[in-house]
Amino acid sequence: MDIFEMTRELGKKLQSEESYIAMRSAQQVCDEDETLQNLIGEFNLKRMAINNEAQKEDRNEETLKRLNEEFRSVYAQIMQNENMARYNNAKTKFDAVLQRVNAIIGLCADGENPDTCDYEAACSGNCATCGGCH
């Protein structure tokens, strides 16, 4: 088995990982949540409206301010949706698995012992990037 075949096997293992399955399940629920999908559509329309207004030579700062407030409001509604929260939580957990796998591969590429090298995420102090230490 060459390295690329082994990589495909690793991909299969990743897709059978509990955190991956949970993330995909949560994603499916989000995709089927009509209210959430409508909010995401509205969010994208607000973003386009902001970009269009910002690119105008004679842009109206009041309109831009209003659009930004509406944009933030829709974003907040999306993030308060329980299905989106569940997805974000599941994605954070899978991202931590993927980060660890990538880090181990990187350590091996740097000459570390494949049998003993490992990775443990350290607290950056920024909770926005955190998978949850508490």
Side-chain angles (χ1 to χ4, degrees), residues 13-54:
K13 283 289 193 188
L14 278 171
Q15 290 180 351
S16 68
E17 170 70 29
E18 183 179 319
S19 60
Y20 175 84
I21 293 167
M23 179 188 70
R24 295 293 295 195
S25 175
Q27 182 179 13
Q28 181 68 34
V29 170
C30 285
D31 289 347
E32 294 170 358
D33 182 334
E34 190 175 328
T35 301
L36 178 59
Q37 291 306 309
N38 288 337
L39 286 169
I40 291 170
E42 184 178 348
F43 175 84
N44 289 328
L45 290 173
K46 297 290 181 195
R47 186 180 60 210
M48 288 189 303
I50 289 168
N51 288 337
N52 289 340
E53 185 65 33

Side-chain angles (χ1 to χ4, degrees), residues 88-97 99 121-124 126-134:
N88 283 335
N89 186 33
K91 184 172 182 339
T92 297
K93 289 178 181 176
F94 178 70
D95 285 349
V97 169
Q99 183 179 26
C123 180
S124 68
N126 180 355
C127 293
T129 63
C130 185
C133 60
H134 301 286

Side-chain angles (χ1 to χ4, degrees), residues 1-108:
M1 180 181 299
D2 73 7
I3 194 166
F4 301 108
E5 290 171 7
M6 292 173 73
T7 304
R8 291 186 202 311
E9 288 302 312
L10 177 59
K12 291 175 187 175
K13 283 289 193 188
L14 278 171
Q15 290 180 351
S16 68
E17 170 70 29
E18 183 179 319
S19 60
Y20 175 84
I21 293 167
M23 179 188 70
R24 295 293 295 195
S25 175
Q27 182 179 13
Q28 181 68 34
V29 170
C30 285
D31 289 347
E32 294 170 358
D33 182 334
E34 190 175 328
T35 301
L36 178 59
Q37 291 306 309
N38 288 337
L39 286 169
I40 291 170
E42 184 178 348
F43 175 84
N44 289 328
L45 290 173
K46 297 290 181 195
R47 186 180 60 210
M48 288 189 303
I50 289 168
N51 288 337
N52 289 340
E53 185 65 33
Q55 291 176 3
K56 290 180 181 177
E57 285 185 31
D58 62 336
R59 70 175 163 251
N60 184 315
E61 293 302 324
E62 286 300 314
T63 300
L64 205 50
K65 182 180 176 184
R66 178 184 52 78
L67 288 170
N68 273 307
E69 288 170 2
E70 292 171 1
F71 177 80
R72 284 191 291 276
S73 174
V74 173
Y75 178 79
Q77 290 175 59
I78 290 170
M79 299 314 289
Q80 290 171 358
N81 178 287
E82 74 177 55
N83 292 328
M84 180 58 83
R86 210 172 289 121
Y87 169 76
N88 283 335
N89 186 33
K91 184 172 182 339
T92 297
K93 289 178 181 176
F94 178 70
D95 285 349
V97 169
L98 195 55
Q99 183 179 26
R100 184 175 178 194
V101 167
N102 286 330
I104 292 170
I105 291 171
L107 289 169
C108 292

